[in-house]
Structures are given as structure tokens and as C-alpha cells.
Amino acid sequence: MKKNNENYFEMKIKALPENVPFVRSAIATFALPLGPTLDDIQDLKTAVSEAFTNAVEHAYPEKWGDCEVDINVSLDKLTNKISVVIGDHGVGIKNFDKAREPFFSTADNLEEHSGMGFTIMETFMDSLMLENNENKGVKLTMTKTIGNSKSCAQAERSC
């Protein structure tokens, strides 16, 4: 149940690589009422791109266009948080801990996949939670407090 201080949207979109720019732009635009910095927007777009791309490429490895990805986004104006949930109904992840290790990939062609998707998402968001969804597949929930950016520009390490 949504709270009065929350704004939200939900959508289903075809699991196609060409939908990545639309999804990341839609979510970044939806976050504007929270007053994000340019770093916040870039962090959000990067994490969303990785999450949606993972759903497209790994959940449905053989039938991209025949499947959908569920996206739920909410803004909490009291805490200045955005929550992004991306769910698929694909092949799932057998071992979440292993999948979150840097450089791990289930893809056959490692030249095109770095295995850094979850690491990137965790770097740019405040939290990342993975769970099996009720219909088979994976549900990924990411949250970020806008104005509390952990971007590369602000980190103490170099990117």
C-alpha cells in the first residue's frame, strides 16, 4: 500500500535492448520533484540501465521480444528517497551471492559482458535487494536518497 507522501508509477515494457534509454530517462525524469543533483541523475540512470539490461539479456536469453519487464518506481517526499523495482519472469538466478561477485557472469560471451552489473548498481544506489519473484524470475529493488549521492565524482576513490 502506498503512503500519502509517495508518488509512484508502474509499467510493463517489452524486454528489448532498445528500450533501455526510454526506461532510464523515464525514471530519471520521474525523480525530478525530489530535486536531484546532476550526479544523482547520472547515478540513477546508470543503475537503472544496468538493472534493465540485466533483465533483458540474462532473464530472457533466447526470446527477448516475447517477454516483458515489470517496473515500479516510487518517490517518498518526506525522506527524499526513490525506490526502483525491476522484475522479470525469466530464468532466474540460482545463486544470488555468486551473481553479486565482481566479474561473475552467466553469459556465454564474456567479451560482451563484464560481470560488473550488480557491483555498478551497488556503487550508485544506497541499497540493492534481490529476490525470486512469485512468478519465476528475479525482482530487484534499488533505493537512493536524493541529495545523498555516492557518485564517483564524490567518492574518495578514483573511478
Side-chain angles (χ1 to χ4, degrees):
M1 183 163 148
K2 302 295 180 192
K3 303 173 199 166
N4 286 339
N5 56 310
E6 286 186 337
N7 189 11
Y8 67 93
F9 80 87
E10 300 173 348
M11 74 172 160
K12 285 188 182 297
I13 190 164
K14 278 193 134 187
L16 295 170
E18 60 259 36
N19 287 338
V20 172
F22 170 76
V23 169
R24 76 180 188 177
S25 294
I27 294 172
T29 301
F30 190 72
L32 291 177
L34 296 180
T37 64
L38 290 176
D39 284 338
D40 289 331
I41 292 293
Q42 191 59 43
D43 292 353
L44 185 59
K45 287 171 108 175
T46 300
V48 167
S49 292
E50 288 294 331
F52 187 77
T53 299
N54 273 359
V56 170
E57 292 184 355
H58 298 287
Y60 309 115
E62 297 178 15
K63 51 184 178 176
W64 284 352
D66 295 335
C67 303
E68 296 176 326
V69 176
D70 302 319
I71 299 173
N72 299 283
V73 183
S74 62
L75 305 179
D76 186 326
K77 294 177 185 176
L78 292 179
T79 62
N80 238 39
K81 281 191 180 179
I82 184 168
S83 175
V84 179
V85 180
I86 296 180
D88 65 67
H89 307 282
V91 298
I93 297 175
K94 292 179 183 161
N95 184 332
F96 287 148
D97 291 334
K98 186 76 173 164
R100 289 174 84 152
E101 290 179 8
F103 308 112
F104 176 80
S105 179
T106 59
D108 292 333
N109 185 351
L110 293 179
E111 290 177 13
E112 294 180 19
H113 297 87
S114 68
M116 294 296 291
F118 291 123
T119 302
I120 290 169
M121 288 178 246
E122 288 175 325
T123 298
F124 293 109
M125 300 297 278
D126 296 335
S127 69
L128 172 77
M129 186 174 68
L130 291 169
E131 58 188 305
N132 293 313
N133 73 26
E134 61 278 358
N135 298 318
K136 186 180 176 190
V138 174
K139 181 172 133 181
L140 179 141
T141 303
M142 302 181 291
T143 62
K144 182 171 187 67
T145 301
I146 300 300
N148 186 25
S149 185
K150 326 190 282 190
S151 71
C152 282
Q154 296 172 341
E156 293 181 2
R157 58 177 172 62
S158 65
C159 293

